[in-house]
Amino acid sequence: MSALLESLIELIRRTSAELPDDVNAALVRSLEQEKKGTIAESALKIIERNIELAKRKSQPLCQDTGSVIFYVECPLGLDQITFEETAREAVKQATKRGYLRQNSVDSVTGKNDGTNTGPGAPVVHFHQHRSAETHVRLILKGGGCENVGAQYSLPAEKLHANRDLDGCRKVILDAVLQAQGKGCGPGILGVCIGGDRATGYEFSKQQFLRKLGDRNPDATLDALEQDILKTANELGIGPMGFGGKTTLLGVKICAANRVPASFFVSVSYMCWAYRRQGLTLNSDSSIAGWLY
Amino acid sequence: MATLTTPISEATIRALKVGDEVHITGTLYTGRDAVHKYLHEGGQLPPEVKLDGGILYHCGPVMLKQDDGTWKCTAAGPTTSIREEPYQAQVIGDFGLRGVIGKGGMGEKTLAGCKEHGCVYLHAIGGAAQVLAECVTRVKGVYLLEEFGSPEAIWELEVVNFPAVVTMDSHGNSLHREVLAASQAELAKRL
Ligand code: SF4
């Protein structure tokens, strides 16, 4: 087995079975904040136990192991064709070993061939950079939370949302309200202001690569992130929508240019089972270190 | 915390109210999209499946066949319930269900069905696949496996202390409706 294949299988295993430290820490904090004796507290306690069990047994945190999305930052000259083929093989092997559920369905025939590979599965995004290092990040995006994502076109008359930052705030909070607990909250929002219909969602998902505790370098977006997080947690939706203090664990927002005629706000929702991990490869493709 | 042991009486169910945490011990039958459609269209249950006084679980478990031919449950979290909204009330009435487990809550039609027939909606913790699989002590049987495939089949699970929360009771109350209304009002103040 090639070193790259081995490294990618380990990346999938670890992503599926272990929550990254920043997410774990945020969940621990939210558990401390919930009122004792509430069902919100109980829900978070069960989530904590689940995280511990999955890690110990090296089993998927959630049975929906989601869409498999790789983000590769690579130096000039990396053979992307071989890399992508290896990534597909890694997904097949990881599925055989039970790190991933047989989770990919042919949308026309309804058949599931049990390999988790097919058109658009897995997704591999490449991005070249000038450094000699290769970073591979992976997100496993569950379906329940994907279903509560939303894309708004401003102005949104019903919500009194105009083409300005206040309008963006209104539609993002509307997405939180509509989601309630259905995306297995407490959740994390990834948002893109602008772009087109495709890039808007694309960039909103890339926000999930950021660490929960980081701050947006853009002061305006940073203020909006903090405001949405605070406001959402005052709504009382709570873990699983049971009511409570923790509705969101984080909000990450980016902006992309738009054409004058369009103004989209795209909101992706990530469940508490926020499976995101990444690694740096050595020159022989073995694992040099973990990114989260 | 109340323990519900299957089969469950109507009186036990009527005593439960929204927000109650329960532990379920006994037998659960899984059933999701294919099963609901099948029952709605008049499909017959195998005689071993005893839904009367029982609980139906919206779940597509991950099952491994052991060398001795028995099954082991390795992941058993709930799936989104609202997809069964068109069928659920009828299935509750026709088969005498006392409980439905899932996630995300259900709508007014199911709530009315719970009130009429004496049934509750039990919310399990979404994503807690490992904790919930640990509560499954034995896979007692599987039905309609050939017809529907593994995730959609009816699995008969023996469970001990399976945790859930009553979010829709048999008196017309729904936590989902309450939280939606309250959060809507809170949001309106902050826009
Ligand atoms: S939304 Fe997330 S936690 Fe919930 S079932 Fe889907 S993948 Fe699992």
Side-chain angles (χ1 to χ4, degrees):
Chain A
M1 193 190 297
S2 81
L4 179 60
L5 181 59
E6 239 171 282
S7 297
L8 294 181
I9 293 172
E10 174 58 11
L11 174 61
I12 296 170
R13 185 202 65 77
R14 186 155 170 176
T15 311
S16 179
E18 301 178 18
L19 271 195
D21 291 343
D22 59 326
V23 181
N24 237 328
L27 280 166
V28 169
R29 269 199 308 279
S30 67
L31 180 56
E32 285 162 3
Q33 276 158 19
E34 288 296 342
K35 258 218 225 107
K36 305 291 160 249
T38 58
I39 49 178
E41 189 205 25
S42 298
L44 286 169
K45 277 189 179 157
I46 291 175
I47 287 172
E48 288 280 296
R49 223 169 79 220
N50 194 71
I51 293 168
E52 193 271 318
L53 257 180
K55 182 170 178 180
R56 182 153 50 82
K57 294 165 70 179
S58 203
Q59 292 262 347
L61 277 154
C62 176
Q63 76 264 8
D64 182 358
T65 52
S67 307
V68 180
I69 313 171
F70 289 97
Y71 297 89
V72 186
E73 277 178 320
C74 55
L76 298 168
L78 178 105
D79 175 357
Q80 299 187 354
I81 296 173
T82 304
F83 193 103
E84 185 157 352
E85 284 167 0
T86 312
R88 291 174 85 82
E89 186 56 30
V91 167
K92 284 186 191 169
Q93 298 279 341
T95 308
K96 271 199 197 131
R97 296 186 195 181
Y99 306 151
L100 299 175
R101 177 174 77 171
Q102 301 182 347
N103 211 35
S104 186
V105 178
D106 182 309
S107 297
V108 178
T109 64
K111 291 238 161 63
N112 180 342
D113 73 1
T115 67
N116 273 325
T117 58
V123 178
V124 187
H125 295 284
F126 289 99
H127 182 75
Q128 285 187 332
H129 61 180
R130 297 214 180 270
S131 148
E133 284 191 341
T134 301
H135 304 299
V136 189
R137 291 178 170 84
L138 173 62
I139 287 179
L140 301 176
K141 182 70 174 65
C145 55
E146 187 67 5
N147 291 345
V148 300
Q151 189 167 58
Y152 296 85
S153 175
L154 300 186
E157 207 187 336
K158 266 198 210 136
L159 299 170
H160 309 290
N162 298 312
R163 289 183 157 195
D164 52 26
L165 274 183
D166 183 60
C168 296
R169 178 180 185 268
K170 282 183 175 143
V171 296
I172 297 167
L173 286 168
D174 182 66
V176 176
L177 180 74
Q178 300 305 330
Q180 292 286 303
K182 295 189 203 88
C184 290
I188 297 89
L189 294 190
V191 179
C192 176
I193 297 174
D196 62 28
R197 287 202 185 269
T199 57
Y201 269 133
E202 182 55 52
F203 293 146
S204 74
K205 278 218 178 66
Q206 283 181 23
Q207 291 299 301
F208 295 135
L209 298 174
R210 289 172 54 190
K211 278 195 185 166
L212 273 182
D214 78 354
R215 295 294 288 258
N216 200 313
D218 180 303
T220 310
L221 295 180
D222 183 61
L224 187 60
E225 288 179 358
Q226 303 306 319
D227 172 28
I228 302 265
L229 181 62
K230 179 171 168 285
T231 311
N233 285 336
E234 289 167 357
L235 301 184
I237 295 168
M240 293 293 134
F242 286 173
K245 293 185 179 160
T246 326
T247 298
L248 294 181
L249 297 175
V251 179
K252 303 291 166 190
I253 305 176
C254 69
N257 278 19
R258 57 182 177 83
V259 295
S262 307
F263 198 135
F264 296 112
V265 178
S266 310
V267 183
S268 288
Y269 191 106
M270 176 66 92
C271 52
W272 70 259
Y274 183 176
R275 287 153 294 172
R276 170 253 282 139
Q277 197 37 275
L279 48 76
T280 303
L281 292 175
N282 288 314
S283 53
D284 65 358
S285 290
S286 59
I287 299 171
W290 296 93
L291 295 171
Y292 298 101
Chain B
M1 188 178 314
T3 297
L4 294 179
T5 308
T6 61
I8 308 166
S9 71
E10 178 167 356
T12 306
I13 286 301
R14 295 278 181 200
L16 294 172
K17 55 186 196 326
V18 156
D20 285 349
E21 292 182 60
V22 298
H23 273 162
I24 303 154
T25 293
T27 303
L28 303 181
Y29 294 95
T30 68
R32 46 187 291 176
D33 310 76
V35 169
H36 282 82
K37 185 162 172 286
Y38 173 79
L39 294 178
H40 176 73
E41 287 167 354
Q44 293 303 304
L45 284 175
E48 299 92 333
V49 179
K50 298 185 175 65
L51 294 184
D52 198 24
I55 298 181
L56 192 65
Y57 182 18
H58 298 156
C59 168
V62 181
M63 294 289 186
L64 280 181
K65 197 160 198 172
Q66 313 277 86
D67 293 337
D68 64 0
T70 61
W71 295 90
K72 186 174 159 38
C73 178
T74 60
T79 187
T80 302
S81 299
I82 195 70
R83 293 192 305 266
E84 318 314 339
E85 180 66 11
Y87 319 115
Q88 198 66 72
Q90 185 203 334
V91 171
I92 290 170
D94 286 357
F95 296 94
L97 285 175
R98 291 283 174 234
V100 172
I101 309 176
K103 72 159 174 133
M106 299 189 74
E108 294 300 322
K109 207 168 148 191
T110 302
L111 191 60
C114 284
K115 190 172 177 182
E116 184 183 346
H117 304 292
C119 181
V120 290
Y121 179 81
L122 299 152
H123 201 300
I125 304 303
Q130 295 306 327
V131 168
L132 300 179
E134 291 259 302
C135 299
V136 177
T137 46
R138 193 157 66 95
V139 179
K140 289 163 80 178
V142 58
Y143 313 98
L144 302 170
L145 179 62
E146 288 288 301
E147 291 84 343
F148 298 151
S150 172
E152 294 275 352
I154 298 180
W155 292 91
E156 183 179 356
L157 309 176
E158 182 183 88
V159 295
V160 174
N161 290 337
F162 184 103
V165 177
V166 178
T167 57
M168 293 162 62
D169 65 21
S170 64
H171 307 287
N173 304 305
S174 161
L175 181 68
H176 307 286
R177 200 173 55 194
E178 277 171 35
V179 172
L180 176 63
S183 55
Q184 225 156 9
E186 289 301 319
L187 181 56
K189 290 186 217 159
R190 289 168 175 80
L191 288 180

